[in-house]
Amino acid sequence: MRKITFKIQRFDGQESWIQEYTLDHQPGKTILWALIQIKETLDPSLNFTASCRHAICGACAVRVNGQATLACETPLDKMLKRWESDTLILEPLQNFKLIRDLVVDWEPKAERLAELKPWLMPKDEFNKESGCRQSPEDFKKINKNSDCILCGCCASECNKLSGNNSDFLEPFVFTKAQRFVADSRDKNPVERLSAAINHGAWKCQHCQECVTKCPKGLSPAEDISNLRQEAIAKGLVEHSGVRHAKAFLDDIQKTGRLNEGMMAVKTDGLVKSIGNIPFALRLMSKGKLNPAHMFPKPIKEVAEVRAIILAVKESEKARNIANAKRSEAHTNPDIQRPKEAAK
Amino acid sequence: MMKYAFFPGCVLEGASQEAYTATTKVAQALGIELVEIPGWTCCGGSHLQDYDKTAALAVNARNIALAEKMGLPVLTVCNTCTLMLREAKHELDNGAKELVNPALQQAGLEYTGTSPVTHFLWMLIKDYGLDKLKKKVKRPLKGMKVAGYYGCHILRPPHIMGFEDHANPHSLEDLIRALGAEPVLFDARLKCCGFHSVFTSKEDTMKATGTINLSALEGGADCTVTPCPLCQMQLDMYQPEGKRAVNANDDIPALHLTQLIGLALGYTAEELGMKRHIVNTGILLAGR
Amino acid sequence: MLKFDILVIGSGGSGMQAALVASSQQGLNVALMSKVFPTRSATCCAQGGTNAVLKNADPTDTIEKHTFDTVKGSDFLGDQDAIEFFCEHMPETIRELDYYGVPFSRLESGTIAQRPFGGQSAPRTCYSSDKVGSVILHTLYEQCLKNGVNVLVEWLLLDLVVENDRVTGVVAMDMKTGEIQPIMAKTVVLATGGAGRMYWLRTTNPFASTGDGMAAALRAGVALKDPEFVQFHPTGLAGTGILMSEACRGEGGYLLNNQGERFMKRYAPEKLELATRDLVSQAIEIEIKEGRGFGEGMQAYVQLDLRHLGREKILERLPQIRDLAITFEGIDPIDQPIPIRPSCHYSMGGIDVTDYRTCGTDLKGLYATGECACLSIHGANRLGGNSTADVVLFGKVAGKAAAEAAKTLDFGSEQKVNELVRQWENSFSSTVARTDGPSVASIRDRLSETMWYNVGVFRKESEMKKATQIIDELIAEYKKCVVGDPSKIYNTAFVQYTELGNLLLVAKAVVMGALNRKESRGSHKREDYMNRDDENFLKHTIISKQGSQYKLSYRPVVVTKYQPVERKY
Ligand SMILES: Cc1cc2nc3c(=O)[nH]c(=O)nc-3n(C[C@H](O)[C@H](O)[C@H](O)COP(=O)(O)OP(=O)(O)OC[C@H]3O[C@@H](n4cnc5c(N)ncnc54)[C@H](O)[C@@H]3O)c2cc1C
Ligand code: SF4
Ligand code: SF4
Ligand code: SF4
Ligand code: SF4
Ligand code: FES
C-alpha cells in the first residue's frame, strides 16, 4: 500500500513542532480529506478549520509545501505529483497571528480590513426604501471582486506584508477597497483611495503572489494598480510612486526608451537623490551609470509611438473593452477550475 | 538556424550592458540568430500600467506587432519584459485586438497574434534543447554551486506565464546542471527581490534583497544566477544595502543567466562583462 | 462578567441582520457571537437567489402569487398569516440590502435582476451571478464593520440560562482560550442555522450546521416545531453531497438511471426533471432501491446528464457547476454525466417561534430566526430562494423585537449562570480526560447512517422504530465518548463533541416527529402512509424535552385564504 506522509506544523499556544502522520494513499482525495482523516483516525488533537468544503467559506486555507491554498479543493494527487514526493509539509498561513496548529486569528485582520472603509456609501440619490440603480455594465465592474471569500491565501504569501506589515495592508483589503471604488452606487471613492494610498498602495512589490494564490481567480495586485490609477485620476499625485510610474510614460513618449540614469532624480527629486550619491558613485565606478548615457537618443519612430498611444486611448474612450476584459477572473492552475466562460 | 525577434529591454542598453554582451555572445556560440526589433520601446517595466494602463497596452501591442512584421517569435531576456509583453498579448487575444489595431494600422502595423513571446531560458529548454546545449559546453562548471534565483515575473502570475509549475519550477536547475554546475535549492529561491518597490519601499526592498542573498549563501552557493537583469541589479548593485538590512557579512556574486552559460561555453569573465559587477566575481572564477 | 442588553448567537444572514438592527438603536449594548468567523457561516453557500416580489423581471407578479406559491410549496403546512407577512415585507428588505451594497445582478433598467425558480409562478428570485448567499453575507459583515458591531468571534454557545421563566444569559466557550464564560443578557436571539449535519455522510450543509441552537433551546425547555421536515435536495454530488444547484435541471439537465432511461417520465410525466425537490428526490431513491442506480449502499447514485446542452451552454450558464464537478468528482459534465444523489439540504422545522411578528418563543426574552427557527413559513417543503429571504427579513424582525424587549427588562442573577458555567467546566474536564470509549466520529457516522437509511427520503414505521432505538443507544454511548484532546486552546475535538451531542438531541426529535406523523406531506414521505391526511395531520408537530423525556403535542396550522388542495406540478 502506498503511504503518504504529512509533516504538519503543530502549535499549542506556546511551542511549535513538526509532527509526522502517515496515511494510506487513496486516489481522488483532497488535502482537507487528509486533515480530517488524520484527526479522526490518528490524532484528534490536530486542529484546523473548515466548513463549506467547496471553496466558498474561506475557512480552510493552509500552506502546502510553502504555498497557501484552500485545503478543501486542492487535490492531494496533484500536490504529490507537483512535488514528486509522497511527503507533504502542511503549515498555517503566514502573516497571521497563530492560535493553534493550523488555526490562525482573523480578528486582527477584521480591524485592518476596516481601515479602508469597505462598505457602500450610497449616493444621495438612493435611499433605503427604494434601493439603488446600477447598469449591468457597472455591475460587471464589481462582480469579480465580490468573489473574495476572505480566505487569506493572498496575505499569506504577500512579499510586502512579510517584509513589514506596519505600512501596508493585506492584498484582499485592497481588493475590497477597489470593489467599492468601482461601485457606481458609491459616492465616496476618494476616501478609500486616499486611505489606500496612506496604507501603502504604492509599496506593493508587484510580486504577483496574491494573483497566483487566489483560489477565486482574483488579482489583488491588479486592484492595487487600479487603485493607483484611480488615485492619480482623482488628483492624488503627490507620491514618489506616481512620479516613478509617470517617468516611464514620459520617457517612452520622449525617446521610446527608459532613462534609468535620471530615474532617481525624477522619482525622488534632486535633493533626495543626492543622498544616494555613494550608490551612484558605486555604479559609476563600474560603468553601470554612464553620465554620457544620461540623455539617450530617441528612437526614430518616437512620433509614431506617441501617435499610437494617443489613438488607442481615443478608441478606448469610445469602447471600454480592454478594461472590461481585464477585470475577469483568471483560472488558478493549482485548482484547475476552468473559467473559460464569463460568469 | 533558429531565429528570433530580439527584445533586449532598456536595462540591457544601460546599467546591464554586460547582459547584452553576454546574450549576443551566447546566441552566437549556439547558432541562434537574434535580430533586434527595430524601433522597439520600453515595455513599461511593470510601472507604466499604474499610471496609464492603455499606454502600456498600446506600446506593447506595437512591440509585438513589429516582431510579427518580421515574421519571428519575440525573444526576451528580462522577466519583467516577458510579463509585460505577455500580459499585453493576453489582453490582445481576449478582445483588445480590435481596439488597438486601427491605431497600429496608421503606422503600417497590425497585431494578429502570430508571434509568441518567449524568454531566453524557455527558449533554451523548449526550442533549443538542453541536450544540444550540453554538447556545446566547452568548460563544464564542475564543482560550482549555483543558486538559481527565478524572480517573480518569469513564474507569476501563472495564467499569463505558465511555462512551468510556479510552485516547484526546475528550468533553472536543469539548465545549471546542463552546464556542469551543481544547482543549490535555497529557501528564498522563489521570493521577490523587491526591485519594483525600491523607490517607494526602500527598507523592505533591501531586506528582501539581503534575505535572498543570505539564503543562497546559507544554502552553500558560490553565486546566484537569474534570468532577469532587474533581479540581477537588485542582488548585485544593492547587495551592500541588502547585507546591512539583514546583518549579513559575506558577499555573493550575482550572475546573469547568459553569463553563466557564457562561462560554460568558454568565454572569459572579461568577455562577459563580469568586471562591471559591483560584487567581485573573482572568487567564483579562481582556478577556472 | 460580560453583560449585554442583546446577545445574538450566530452570524449568518439572520444573525447579522438581527445584530445590525439591534445595534442601530441608541443606548443598547449588543453583541454578536459566532463559532466561526462571520463570513464562514452557512449563508455563504447559497448560490441560486433570494425571493421577493420586485416585479422587475415580471410586472404581473404579485405578493399574493408569492404567498400562494409558498403555501402550496409548503404542502399547506405553512402558517398563512406568517407567509403573508413574509411575502409582503420581502421587497423592502431586498431594496435595503441593495442600499447596503449587495452586488445584485442587474437588468438593463438598472433594477435587480430576477430569475425563475422551482415551484414559483413568476421570475422573482433575485440573484448575484451564482453566489447570492456569499455576497449577502459579506455585505452584512461590511455593515457590521461599519457600525462597529461587537462580534465575539469563535465563541461557542454551550447553553442558555433560564431563571424565573425567562432567559437571563448564556454559557459559552471562548474557543481561542478555552475559557468557559458566563454571559448575561436581557434578551437572546438564536440564529444558529440548520442541523443538516445529522446526515453527515450525505448533506449539502457545511460542517457548522449542527443544530446547536435547536438543541440549546430543547435543553432550555423550548419546543421544536415540525422537526421531521427535512429537505433532501435531489442533486448532491455522489461522493461528498456538495450541491449541484437546481439550475442544472432548470437549464434542461436529464436524470438517468443505469438503463440510460430518463426515469422522471414515470414519476412526473409533465414536469419531468423540473418537478419539485421532494418529488425528484423520492424518484431517485426509488430507482436506487429497485436496482436501477449505479454503485452500492451509501455510495449508490444516478446520473445527471448535461452533455446534450452542449459545451457552449454549459460554459455560459453553468460554469460553477462544471467547476465543482471537475474539482470534487473528477468529472467534466461536458463529456460525462455527473453522479448525484439526494442529500440533506435544509431543516424546515426548528425552534418553535410562537409570534412571527417578533420571532419570539414561549420563553421570555428568547427569540429565534433563520434556519434554526420555525415560524412556520416553509411548512413541509421549502421553495428554493425562500430561505435566504426568510433569513434576511426575520433577522431584522427578531433583532428589533429583542431590542424593544431588552429596554423593558433587567439583568437576571449572576448566580444561576455561574452555576451552569461550573457544570460545564466540570463536564469539560471529565470529558477531555476520558481515554477509553467510542470516538466522536464513530458515533456521528452511525447517527448519519441511521438517519439516512431509516429517516431519509422514504420513511416507514418499522425503520423509524429501529432508528429511535439506535439513537437512544447512541445518546447513551455519547456519554462515554472520547474527545482525545485535553488542551483548552482552540480545541476543535471538544467543539465537535458538543456538536455531536446537539445533533443527537435534535435527531431524536426528528425521528419522533416523523414516526408520529402518519401521512405523507412535502418532504416527509411515508411508505406506509402514502397520502396527505389533512383531516388528522394538518397541524404542526411540537416536541419539547423534559429531562431525558421528549413530549409530543400538536398545534393547528393557521389557514387564512388558501384552503388545502391537492398539490400538483
Ligand atoms: C449549499 C447550500 C445552498 C443553498 N442555496 C440557497 C439558495 O439558493 N437560496 C436560499 O434561499 N437558500 C439557500 N440555502 C439555504 C440557506 O443558505 C440557509 O438556510 C440560510 O443561509 C441559513 O442562514 P442562517 O442565518 O439561519 O444561519 P447560518 O448561515 O447557517 O449561520 C449560522 C450561524 O450560527 C453560528 N452558530 C451555530 N452554532 C453556534 C454555536 N453553538 N455557538 C455560536 N455560534 C453558533 C454559526 O457560526 C453561524 O454563524 C442553501 C443552503 C446550502 C447549504
Ligand atoms: S503583488 Fe503586491 S500585494 Fe500582491 S503579494 Fe506581491 S507585494 Fe503583496
Ligand atoms: S483575494 Fe483571493 S486569496 Fe485573497 S482573501 Fe480574497 S479570495 Fe482569498
Ligand atoms: S522591464 Fe525594464 S528593462 Fe525590460 S523593457 Fe521594460 S523597462 Fe525596459
Ligand atoms: S524578483 Fe525582482 S525583478 Fe523580478 S519581479 Fe520580483 S521584484 Fe521584479
Ligand atoms: S472549507 Fe470552505 S473554503 Fe474550504
Side-chain angles (χ1 to χ4, degrees):
Chain A
M1 188 79 187
R2 183 174 167 200
K3 302 277 183 199
I4 311 299
T5 302
F6 295 88
K7 293 187 174 176
I8 303 186
Q9 186 187 316
R10 305 289 310 269
F11 178 66
D12 63 7
Q14 256 139 22
E15 271 165 63
S16 241
W17 71 99
I18 302 289
Q19 194 154 342
E20 268 189 44
Y21 301 98
T22 304
L23 294 177
D24 288 342
H25 176 260
Q26 281 192 38
K29 299 295 184 188
T30 59
I31 298 290
L32 180 59
W33 169 85
L35 285 169
I36 292 174
Q37 206 67 10
I38 292 169
K39 187 170 180 71
E40 294 190 352
T41 63
L42 300 172
D43 184 356
S45 78
L46 175 69
N47 291 284
F48 52 89
T49 54
S51 195
C52 70
R53 82 237 132 96
H54 64 277
I56 192 69
C57 78
C60 68
V62 295
R63 299 179 85 216
V64 180
N65 284 21
Q67 312 278 332
T69 189
L70 293 181
C72 68
E73 68 164 355
T74 302
L76 178 58
D77 289 330
K78 186 154 186 185
M79 291 297 110
L80 298 174
K81 194 165 158 228
R82 161 179 282 175
W83 300 102
E84 292 160 357
S85 159
D86 280 354
T87 299
L88 293 175
I89 300 164
L90 305 186
E91 295 160 303
L93 296 184
Q94 297 183 126
N95 295 326
F96 277 80
K97 189 176 151 228
L98 194 51
I99 297 175
R100 188 168 170 208
D101 298 339
L102 303 174
V103 183
V104 297
D105 198 348
W106 271 87
E107 265 183 280
K109 299 297 179 194
E111 277 165 41
R112 291 165 67 89
L113 186 58
E115 297 278 4
L116 294 196
K117 309 207 166 145
W119 47 77
L120 190 73
M121 302 179 194
K123 286 181 176 155
D124 297 336
E125 67 205 76
F126 302 130
N127 59 53
K128 244 186 178 168
E129 290 67 39
S130 40
C132 309
R133 291 287 178 279
Q134 182 166 58
S135 71
E137 293 71 45
D138 284 338
F139 162 71
K140 253 195 178 161
K141 292 183 191 152
I142 59 170
N143 185 22
K144 174 187 159 191
N145 281 3
S146 311
D147 275 347
C148 172
I149 56 173
L150 295 181
C151 68
C153 287
C154 54
S156 173
E157 308 309 320
C158 173
N159 278 287
K160 167 63 188 111
L161 213 57
S162 299
N164 175 3
N165 68 10
S166 68
D167 58 357
F168 195 66
L169 292 168
E170 288 63 18
F172 62 77
V173 183
F174 292 106
T175 289
K176 259 289 200 216
Q178 161 63 21
R179 175 234 169 290
F180 287 100
V181 167
D183 197 326
S184 64
R185 296 170 295 176
D186 194 271
K187 68 173 172 191
N188 207 348
V190 179
E191 195 167 339
R192 278 55 154 276
L193 288 170
S194 52
I197 302 301
N198 293 336
H199 283 96
W202 283 104
K203 293 179 192 283
C204 157
Q205 299 181 352
H206 205 264
C207 71
Q208 303 294 320
E209 278 287 13
C210 50
V211 184
T212 304
K213 295 292 142 44
C214 179
K216 304 307 278 184
L218 308 193
S219 306
E222 190 182 307
D223 296 328
I224 291 172
S225 172
N226 285 330
L227 288 168
R228 290 171 173 180
Q229 288 177 77
E230 278 296 313
I232 293 170
K234 294 279 180 329
L236 301 169
V237 291
E238 275 317 307
H239 199 286
S240 61
V242 182
R243 293 187 291 273
H244 188 52
K246 180 168 184 292
F248 280 81
L249 184 62
D250 292 348
D251 285 354
I252 290 174
Q253 291 187 327
K254 208 184 292 160
T255 67
R257 306 275 162 91
L258 191 65
N259 182 351
E260 307 165 308
M262 293 302 285
M263 187 51 93
V265 179
K266 285 185 186 166
T267 304
D268 282 344
L270 190 57
V271 178
K272 201 167 164 210
S273 317
I274 289 173
N276 260 343
I277 283 186
F279 174 70
L281 289 177
R282 187 196 300 159
L283 300 194
M284 248 183 262
S285 73
K286 299 286 184 163
K288 290 230 147 193
L289 194 62
N290 186 350
H293 232 272
M294 275 296 186
F295 302 97
K297 267 210 325 269
I299 58 167
K300 64 179 191 303
E301 301 85 347
V302 68
E304 169 193 310
V305 174
R306 258 177 265 163
I308 290 176
I309 295 177
L310 215 74
V312 176
K313 292 181 77 131
E314 279 307 314
S315 53
E316 179 160 54
K317 248 183 241 159
R319 226 167 19 127
N320 245 333
I321 308 188
N323 282 322
K325 271 288 164 200
R326 282 174 218 190
S327 63
E328 261 167 36
H330 61 79
T331 305
N332 186 325
D334 284 8
I335 293 141
Q336 254 176 356
R337 284 211 263 131
K339 286 242 160 57
E340 286 165 48
K343 276 201 172 175
Chain B
M1 184 159 162
M2 289 164 63
K3 198 170 168 184
Y4 294 89
F6 181 40
F7 184 87
C10 318
V11 276
L12 257 67
E13 293 212 314
S16 307
Q17 277 162 27
E18 71 279 3
Y20 198 109
T21 318
T23 304
T24 342
K25 290 225 153 72
V26 167
Q28 216 167 28
L30 298 179
I32 299 165
E33 192 181 341
L34 301 184
V35 191
E36 187 167 326
I37 298 173
W40 61 270
T41 63
C42 171
C43 70
S46 87
H47 292 283
L48 175 57
Q49 79 283 358
D50 293 347
Y51 191 77
D52 191 334
K53 210 173 198 169
T54 312
L57 176 69
V59 294
N60 289 317
R62 177 178 170 275
N63 283 328
I64 301 171
L66 286 169
E68 285 186 2
K69 201 170 181 182
M70 298 159 75
L72 294 174
V74 183
L75 184 89
T76 61
V77 283
C78 163
N79 286 4
T80 300
C81 301
T82 315
L83 173 64
M84 292 299 284
L85 290 167
R86 287 180 71 93
E87 217 156 46
K89 196 169 167 55
H90 182 76
E91 275 169 43
L92 291 164
D93 291 341
N94 284 288
K97 187 163 74 181
E98 287 77 28
L99 187 75
V100 168
N101 269 336
L104 289 178
Q105 270 148 13
Q106 293 172 10
L109 293 169
E110 190 186 2
Y111 175 88
T112 56
T114 48
S115 287
V117 175
T118 189
H119 184 283
F120 202 86
L121 173 63
W122 301 350
M123 177 276 289
L124 281 180
I125 286 170
K126 208 167 139 225
D127 305 354
Y128 192 81
L130 290 182
D131 286 337
K132 202 162 142 200
L133 177 67
K134 257 186 219 161
K135 291 193 192 115
K136 300 270 181 171
V137 169
K138 291 209 179 105
R139 192 169 55 173
L141 305 175
K142 256 224 168 77
M144 196 194 276
K145 291 187 178 154
V146 182
Y149 174 69
Y150 285 84
C152 310
H153 294 163
I154 201 162
L155 299 169
R156 296 185 290 263
H159 70 282
I160 302 289
M161 306 312 280
F163 176 76
E164 60 189 318
D165 183 23
H166 67 88
N168 190 20
H170 49 75
S171 58
L172 263 184
E173 286 74 16
D174 293 348
L175 180 75
I176 292 167
R177 241 177 254 121
L179 302 176
E182 185 191 322
V184 172
L185 292 176
F186 62 118
D187 285 350
R189 74 189 189 111
L190 304 181
K191 293 279 170 232
C192 176
C193 71
F195 177 86
H196 301 285
S197 56
V198 73
F199 287 106
T200 53
S201 192
K202 191 158 183 179
E203 278 172 28
D204 301 329
T205 304
M206 295 316 153
K207 200 160 122 193
T209 304
T211 306
I212 291 162
N213 282 330
L214 187 61
S215 167
L217 277 166
E218 282 170 349
D222 301 320
C223 67
T224 56
V225 67
T226 154
C228 175
L230 310 181
C231 303
Q232 194 276 343
M233 265 204 241
Q234 196 60 31
L235 297 186
D236 183 44
M237 288 181 350
Y238 285 105
Q239 194 162 132
E241 285 83 358
K243 266 165 49 178
R244 238 172 285 142
V246 297
N247 289 320
N249 296 315
D250 298 326
D251 286 335
I252 181 163
L255 303 193
H256 295 283
L257 180 68
T258 44
Q259 287 177 322
L260 189 78
I261 302 170
L263 285 175
L265 296 181
Y267 292 106
T268 63
E270 184 96 53
E271 287 172 304
L272 296 167
M274 285 163 67
K275 286 264 155 66
R276 286 169 46 89
H277 289 210
I278 302 301
V279 176
N280 196 328
T281 53
I283 338 155
L284 195 58
L285 303 164
R288 258 173 228 285
Chain C
M1 190 183 295
L2 287 173
K3 288 190 179 190
F4 303 105
D5 294 313
I6 299 119
L7 175 62
V8 180
I9 300 172
S11 61
S14 215
M16 286 208 268
Q17 280 284 52
L20 280 168
V21 169
S23 59
S24 71
Q25 307 219 359
Q26 287 295 313
L28 289 176
N29 181 7
V30 182
L32 175 62
M33 176 196 293
S34 174
K35 65 178 176 182
V36 301
F37 185 75
T39 56
R40 322 263 181 253
S41 304
T43 297
C44 74
C45 296
Q47 298 170 354
T50 302
N51 300 335
V53 179
L54 298 179
K55 310 185 192 205
N56 294 344
D58 179 357
T60 68
D61 196 14
T62 61
I63 304 283
E64 287 67 38
K65 283 189 194 171
H66 189 191
T67 307
F68 180 69
D69 290 343
T70 305
V71 171
K72 182 177 168 197
S74 81
D75 219 349
F76 295 89
L77 191 71
D79 284 340
Q80 295 182 12
D81 52 351
I83 296 175
E84 280 162 8
F85 178 90
F86 164 66
C87 298
E88 194 185 316
H89 288 91
M90 271 321 295
E92 68 199 39
T93 309
I94 293 295
R95 291 193 188 104
E96 186 180 53
L97 288 179
D98 184 5
Y99 190 71
Y100 280 173
V102 172
F104 284 111
S105 292
R106 300 282 162 170
L107 297 174
E108 281 306 325
S109 61
T111 54
I112 295 169
Q114 298 184 282
R115 57 162 61 126
F117 236 49
Q120 304 199 45
S121 52
R124 70 168 73 94
T125 305
C126 310
Y127 61 97
S128 171
S129 301
D130 44 10
K131 54 176 183 208
V132 80
S134 175
V135 295
I136 288 179
L137 192 66
H138 281 263
T139 302
L140 291 176
Y141 181 60
E142 288 154 15
Q143 291 296 312
C144 287
L145 284 177
K146 174 181 174 206
N147 295 299
V149 172
N150 179 11
V151 192
L152 302 172
V153 179
E154 291 165 327
W155 281 60
L156 178 73
L157 167 76
L158 296 171
D159 257 321
L160 296 165
V161 183
V162 179
E163 197 178 12
N164 300 331
D165 295 327
R166 62 168 277 221
V167 66
T168 57
V170 308
V171 175
M173 178 187 254
D174 176 354
M175 291 163 60
K176 287 180 205 159
T177 62
E179 293 306 327
I180 292 172
Q181 299 273 13
I183 304 179
M184 305 288 301
K186 292 177 181 167
T187 56
V188 173
V189 178
L190 287 174
T192 49
R197 278 280 148 184
M198 72 179 66
Y199 296 82
W200 194 274
L201 302 165
R202 282 236 62 81
T203 177
T204 64
N205 285 193
F207 294 130
S209 298
T210 52
D212 297 3
M214 298 181 194
L218 269 179
R219 285 192 297 264
V222 179
L224 298 187
K225 188 195 288 163
D226 296 333
E228 66 270 31
F229 293 99
V230 175
Q231 182 167 73
F232 292 90
H233 199 291
T235 54
L237 281 180
T240 52
I242 288 168
L243 182 68
M244 296 282 98
S245 132
E246 195 148 310
C248 295
R249 289 178 293 131
E251 295 293 346
Y254 296 157
L255 290 170
L256 304 179
N257 61 18
N258 68 11
Q259 320 281 307
E261 178 204 11
R262 275 181 80 185
F263 56 85
M264 279 311 296
K265 67 173 187 259
R266 285 187 274 110
Y267 302 89
E270 255 176 58
K271 285 252 168 182
L272 295 161
E273 282 85 359
L274 291 176
T276 50
R277 288 178 182 176
D278 45 357
L279 260 166
V280 181
S281 289
Q282 288 157 16
I284 295 172
E285 286 305 313
I286 293 178
E287 291 300 298
I288 290 175
K289 215 172 236 183
E290 297 183 352
R292 290 188 296 278
F294 303 81
E296 296 270 301
M298 232 32 210
Q299 313 308 323
Y301 60 88
V302 298
Q303 293 179 329
L304 170 65
D305 194 354
L306 304 178
R307 289 173 300 180
H308 59 283
L309 301 181
R311 187 186 179 82
E312 288 290 296
K313 194 163 176 188
I314 294 177
L315 289 179
E316 191 202 312
R317 302 279 182 85
L318 302 166
Q320 173 121 344
I321 290 303
R322 176 166 178 252
D323 287 355
L324 293 173
I326 290 177
T327 313
F328 295 102
E329 206 73 43
I331 275 185
D332 187 340
I334 292 177
D335 309 317
Q336 276 174 286
I338 314 168
I340 54 97
R341 184 159 191 195
S343 302
C344 168
H345 187 55
Y346 183 81
S347 321
M348 266 80 70
I351 300 163
D352 178 22
V353 166
T354 46
D355 181 358
Y356 64 85
R357 282 182 218 84
T358 62
C359 289
T361 66
D362 268 349
L363 180 64
K364 191 168 172 192
L366 183 70
Y367 299 80
T369 171
E371 195 174 333
C372 73
C374 179
L375 272 76
S376 134
I377 304 282
H378 312 297
N381 174 57
R382 169 177 74 85
L383 293 184
N386 259 359
S387 173
T388 45
D390 163 358
V391 154
V392 290
L393 167 60
F394 287 100
K396 279 172 50 177
V397 170
K400 189 155 172 255
E404 289 306 326
K407 289 178 190 162
T408 66
L409 289 167
D410 286 328
F411 286 109
S413 81
E414 296 190 1
Q415 194 196 340
K416 186 78 195 277
V417 58
N418 282 329
E419 213 171 276
L420 209 57
V421 165
R422 268 190 303 279
Q423 272 177 32
W424 270 99
E425 280 170 349
N426 294 338
S427 140
F428 176 83
S429 323
S430 57
T431 306
V432 298
R434 264 198 303 274
T435 52
D436 198 23
S439 71
V440 170
S442 72
I443 296 181
R444 183 200 68 205
D445 287 353
R446 271 155 66 210
L447 168 67
S448 147
E449 282 183 25
T450 304
M451 292 305 287
W452 177 255
Y453 284 119
N454 303 308
V455 205
V457 174
F458 286 103
R459 301 162 171 192
K460 63 171 178 248
E461 179 150 333
S462 55
E463 287 175 355
M464 288 191 285
K465 283 198 161 141
K466 200 162 95 199
T468 312
Q469 190 200 333
I470 298 177
I471 289 171
D472 281 337
E473 282 166 27
L474 293 176
I475 289 175
E477 273 186 51
Y478 174 74
K479 299 196 176 106
K480 295 178 280 178
C481 148
V482 171
V483 167
D485 180 5
S487 167
K488 288 182 93 175
I489 298 173
Y490 217 94
N491 187 335
T492 53
F494 181 77
V495 173
Q496 288 168 9
Y497 162 81
T498 59
E499 290 173 337
L500 175 60
N502 295 330
L503 287 175
L504 286 165
L505 287 193
V506 180
K508 192 172 151 108
V510 171
V511 185
M512 186 179 199
L515 186 58
N516 288 288
R517 184 174 284 278
K518 295 180 175 161
E519 64 158 352
S520 288
R521 184 185 295 271
S523 69
H524 174 68
K525 189 76 183 171
R526 295 268 312 227
E527 285 170 307
D528 39 7
Y529 302 93
M530 288 298 278
N531 297 317
R532 201 173 80 192
D533 177 358
D534 287 335
E535 205 163 307
N536 293 303
F537 286 101
L538 187 62
K539 58 188 183 186
H540 297 296
T541 303
I542 307 289
I543 294 178
S544 59
K545 181 172 172 293
Q546 286 160 352
S548 62
Q549 292 304 306
Y550 281 49
K551 218 183 88 199
L552 174 74
S553 62
Y554 291 96
R555 188 185 304 142
V557 168
V558 179
V559 176
T560 56
K561 284 194 202 139
Y562 307 105
Q563 287 307 315
V565 290
E566 194 193 344
R567 199 168 62 128
K568 269 194 276 190
Y569 285 101

